[in-house]
Amino acid sequence: MIDTIIPLRLGEMLIQANLANEQEIERALNFQTRFGGKLGAVLIRMGAISEDNLLSTLAKQLNLLVIQAKDIPIDVNRLLETIEKTNIEKDWWLDQEVVIWETEDNQIHCIGRDPLSSTIQEVFASIFPEQIVTWYLTRNQDLDRILDLVTKSHKNDHFGDADDVNFLKELAEGAPVVEFVNNIFSQAIDQRASDIHIEPEEHTFFVRYRVDGVLYEHLSLPKERFNAIASRIKLISGLDIAERRLPQDGRLNTRVSGQELDIRVSCLPGVHGESIVMRLLPKERQTSSLEQLGFAPDHYRLFTKWISEPHGIILVTGPTGSGKSTTLYAALDSINNSAQKIITVENPVEYQLKGITQVQTHSEIGFTFSSALRSILRQDPDIIMIGEIRDLETAEIAIQSALTGHMVLSTLHTNDAVSAFTRLIDMGVEPFLVATSVRAVQAQRLVRCLCHNCTAIAEVIEEPLLKIQQEIVPLLPKELANLPARWSQAIGCSDCQGSGYRGRVGIYELVYITPEMQNLVLNHATATEMRQLAQKLGFRTLRQDGWIKAYQGITSIEEVLRVTEETMV
């Protein structure tokens, strides 16, 4: 039997642990009074806490252990054999949402939706009078997975592939599905995820989180549950539940784990169902300063000099997810003052900055980057930030703005810095316009930082590291020249979910227009020729800047190799 003497109320314990505040507990108690339900389930449904935080608190309150998914038996026959020994129908166990299994030492182990249920406790006292019964707490999704297996062995599952829209809406609004989806959001925030991927396959579907730029599998569930979960996500993001053949994009605002979230939702039809990707954008996220972005001292001095120029184009390049927008926002924040008019054109506006006019484009009504820029020039701006130069028209307006006394900051999709010049020329911009308007280009990537709790410093510098060290020592900024090497490697601990990394930092490649570079641009030189000149002038490549971060012990050699490519010259 479970000891039902509870030393503290759940709400009080959550407040003491700083997992919820008094206002959230009060709102949850009011909801519970009106509609019933367990306080923990109400808090999850409200998005106030994650299930993991709730379970850790309940475990202390009830003096129970939390069992992980890997420790729950998935052998259905073993579960059914234990159920059959009780002489109680399987329907009763499914109705009570309880799973039991017996171990070789004749002990009974149990997980259930409500371990404190008086009905369950009375039944257990009568059917297991002599045996030791051990109860565990577990995630709802792990309990659901086991119950689904037992259900399938007994009768048809009620989560079938129904095409009826009303039935899908009914499933989507059911308490278990609402709690499951809210819990996915809460756990993603707790794990610092930037994206949630829900991917169906033939018999299962997976939920994966992108943390520090890398995808990790969070859980897998039977395919039969996918329709209800997908319908819930579509319903709250304003998408058409019945449409499964065409891509759809939506968004929703919600409160998760005590913070406001803006979530962008994308649904893409696949062979086994719709792939759903959700980008999580906390509304209260602070804009990073330039000092926090990981610039080496010489790069920091150079970049701050660029953005202080009165006119010209500064480009930040890199693939999606390389932190380009964060860099531009930090740049704007550093130069923002009451003496200058700053206007941005973005799609979408990711951060809201005080004292800056931010414009969001709407291509569906014809309000594109180019049309927005024409209007912006009539607003007498000093500094213009363009979210991305995507076409010739936008590029030409940006160049004209730079040539008429405006500072223009923008992004471009290229693999390295010098490729930005050839990319603009490929768009159709005249080489002389590129050479005279573009002041500098910065390419960047994000590498994961080594976890401070489990980093191991290399005691012996092996031959490969020695070669890298010999290459980068001449390139070290003067502030780092006398520092000892701290080559380190990832280990993995509970604080970093076993990855060995926690957080990210930028690595950069900065190239500015010199007279020699201008001549190459004017003469239609290749990117390789420009890259060779840049290296002769002492500019560091992305990989070389990554080596410096690894030399300092900020990241690892393996991480730099993962993110960068070897520069061919």
Side-chain angles (χ1 to χ4, degrees):
M1 295 287 289
I2 295 177
D3 184 4
T4 56
I5 300 175
I6 300 173
L8 266 179
R9 292 182 177 180
L10 177 62
E12 295 171 345
M13 295 182 71
L14 290 170
I15 292 171
Q16 285 184 5
N18 291 323
L19 296 175
N21 56 46
E22 293 182 5
Q23 291 79 12
E24 289 170 333
I25 298 297
E26 186 176 347
R27 282 196 295 126
L29 288 171
N30 290 336
F31 184 94
Q32 185 186 39
T33 302
R34 293 178 60 192
F35 303 104
K38 298 289 184 182
L39 178 62
V42 173
L43 286 166
I44 291 175
R45 187 170 185 176
M46 287 170 48
I49 60 172
S50 69
E51 188 176 18
D52 287 342
N53 287 334
L54 174 65
L55 287 178
S56 64
T57 308
L58 282 174
K60 294 176 184 176
Q61 184 193 41
L62 303 178
N63 195 27
L64 296 177
L65 295 174
V66 177
I67 190 170
Q68 302 299 321
K70 61 183 177 60
D71 299 319
I72 303 173
I74 58 172
D75 183 355
V76 181
N77 292 329
R78 180 180 172 189
L79 301 175
L80 293 175
E81 285 175 6
T82 307
I83 289 174
E84 288 174 3
K85 287 182 182 179
T86 65
N87 293 321
I88 297 177
E89 291 293 328
K90 282 179 280 189
D91 278 333
W92 183 86
W93 297 97
L94 292 172
D95 289 341
Q96 298 297 322
E97 296 184 299
V98 174
V99 175
I100 63 171
W101 66 94
E102 188 174 13
T103 52
E104 295 178 355
D105 56 1
N106 203 35
Q107 289 193 30
I108 298 295
H109 299 263
C110 310
I111 55 175
R113 196 79 69 191
D114 184 9
L116 297 180
S117 166
S118 58
T119 300
I120 295 174
Q121 294 299 319
E122 289 173 7
V123 171
F124 272 50
S126 64
I127 61 177
F128 302 121
E130 306 292 334
Q131 289 176 284
I132 298 175
V133 178
T134 304
W135 278 88
Y136 301 95
L137 298 174
T138 192
R139 293 174 175 172
N140 282 330
Q141 62 210 35
D142 296 330
L143 176 61
D144 289 338
R145 180 171 58 93
I146 302 301
L147 287 171
D148 282 337
L149 292 174
V150 176
T151 301
K152 282 182 180 180
S153 69
H154 181 54
K155 59 185 178 182
N156 292 330
D157 198 306
H158 65 283
F159 281 105
D161 287 328
D163 289 322
D164 183 71
V165 174
N166 291 328
F167 179 65
L168 289 174
K169 284 184 178 178
E170 185 179 337
L171 285 180
E173 293 172 350
V177 176
V178 173
E179 289 177 21
F180 179 88
V181 172
N182 286 343
N183 195 43
I184 286 178
F185 295 151
S186 297
Q187 290 173 345
I189 291 298
D190 288 348
Q191 294 186 30
R192 302 177 299 106
S194 60
D195 301 84
I196 302 172
H197 292 241
I198 301 179
E199 302 160 329
E201 294 194 351
E202 187 174 1
H203 301 296
T204 59
F205 73 93
F206 297 92
V207 177
R208 297 198 291 171
Y209 292 158
R210 187 178 294 280
V211 181
D212 294 332
V214 178
L215 279 171
Y216 296 94
E217 184 178 322
H218 178 60
L219 62 95
S220 64
L221 288 173
K223 181 70 174 294
E224 288 77 11
R225 301 179 61 83
F226 176 76
N227 281 338
I229 292 162
S231 297
R232 176 63 189 172
I233 293 169
K234 286 183 175 183
L235 187 68
I236 59 179
S237 56
L239 301 180
D240 185 356
I241 290 179
E243 181 56 71
R244 302 182 188 178
R245 298 171 298 172
L246 295 174
Q248 295 188 78
D249 293 313
R251 61 186 298 173
L252 65 118
N253 296 305
T254 185
R255 186 173 178 83
V256 176
S257 295
Q259 62 177 301
E260 297 292 330
L261 270 188
D262 184 15
I263 302 177
R264 311 284 166 80
V265 181
S266 171
C267 297
L268 182 69
V271 174
H272 299 298
E274 291 173 290
S275 171
I276 300 174
V277 177
M278 293 172 280
R279 169 65 60 90
L280 310 181
L281 299 170
K283 289 187 176 180
E284 299 173 3
R285 181 170 50 177
Q286 294 293 321
T287 304
S288 299
S289 65
L290 285 176
E291 293 85 353
Q292 298 172 314
L293 298 184
F295 283 107
D298 57 338
H299 279 176
Y300 177 79
R301 287 192 298 271
L302 192 57
F303 189 75
T304 52
K305 179 178 179 295
W306 290 351
I307 60 178
S308 300
E309 295 287 338
H311 56 82
I313 297 179
I314 308 297
L315 293 173
V316 178
T317 76
T320 302
S322 58
K324 301 186 297 298
S325 296
T326 300
T327 299
L328 289 184
Y329 280 122
L332 291 178
D333 196 48
S334 69
I335 59 179
N336 184 17
N337 58 59
S338 58
Q340 292 180 307
K341 173 78 169 181
I342 303 176
I343 304 181
T344 73
V345 188
E346 307 168 63
N347 184 22
V349 174
E350 294 184 15
Y351 304 89
Q352 294 186 13
L353 302 175
K354 289 186 65 176
I356 294 177
T357 303
Q358 295 175 267
V359 178
Q360 180 159 318
T361 63
H362 297 281
S363 56
E364 63 274 9
I365 60 173
F367 190 50
T368 61
F369 278 100
S370 55
S371 60
L373 278 172
R374 290 193 192 92
S375 300
I376 281 173
L377 292 175
R378 293 193 287 270
Q379 291 276 310
D380 188 29
D382 297 292
I383 299 170
I384 302 170
M385 192 271 270
I386 306 170
E388 182 185 347
I389 294 178
R390 302 182 179 183
D391 51 44
L392 175 61
E393 190 177 9
T394 304
E396 287 178 337
I397 298 173
I399 287 171
Q400 291 301 323
S401 302
L403 294 176
T404 53
H406 301 89
M407 168 57 68
V408 179
L409 306 177
S410 188
T411 69
L412 202 62
H413 284 278
T414 62
N415 289 326
D416 59 12
V418 296
S419 296
F421 304 121
T422 55
R423 175 80 180 97
L424 289 172
I425 293 171
D426 288 342
M427 281 184 181
V429 180
E430 291 293 337
F432 76 92
L433 290 176
V434 175
T436 53
S437 63
V438 178
R439 289 284 178 267
V441 183
Q442 171 181 292
Q444 66 179 67
R445 299 289 189 279
L446 295 176
V447 294
R448 292 178 294 171
C449 298
L450 288 164
C451 175
H452 293 300
N453 290 336
C454 60
T455 299
I457 299 176
E459 297 180 0
V460 179
I461 299 179
E462 299 178 353
E463 184 66 24
L465 284 184
L466 191 58
K467 289 182 179 179
I468 294 172
Q469 187 165 309
Q470 290 171 347
E471 175 190 341
I472 67 167
V473 164
L475 300 174
L476 287 172
K478 60 183 180 181
E479 293 88 346
L480 306 178
N482 296 323
L483 293 180
R486 291 177 57 85
W487 301 107
S488 305
Q489 61 182 11
I491 302 298
C493 64
S494 58
D495 199 44
C496 58
Q497 285 88 43
S499 68
Y501 299 93
R502 186 175 176 86
R504 289 191 291 177
V505 70
I507 57 174
Y508 304 96
E509 177 180 297
L510 278 66
V511 173
Y512 55 85
I513 287 284
T514 63
E516 297 91 340
M517 190 66 74
Q518 273 188 328
N519 286 332
L520 290 182
V521 174
L522 288 169
N523 292 320
H524 296 271
T526 64
T528 300
E529 292 172 316
M530 295 181 192
R531 198 176 296 118
Q532 288 172 339
L533 175 62
Q535 292 193 2
K536 287 178 183 177
L537 295 173
F539 300 136
R540 291 196 298 273
T541 65
L542 285 166
R543 179 164 286 191
Q544 287 170 337
D545 198 50
W547 291 153
I548 291 176
K549 298 293 193 301
Y551 177 88
Q552 296 175 266
I554 296 172
T555 189
S556 68
I557 288 291
E558 293 77 15
E559 180 67 4
V560 176
L561 290 171
R562 182 185 73 85
V563 171
T564 64
E565 62 181 357
E566 186 173 357
T567 304
M568 303 299 292
V569 295

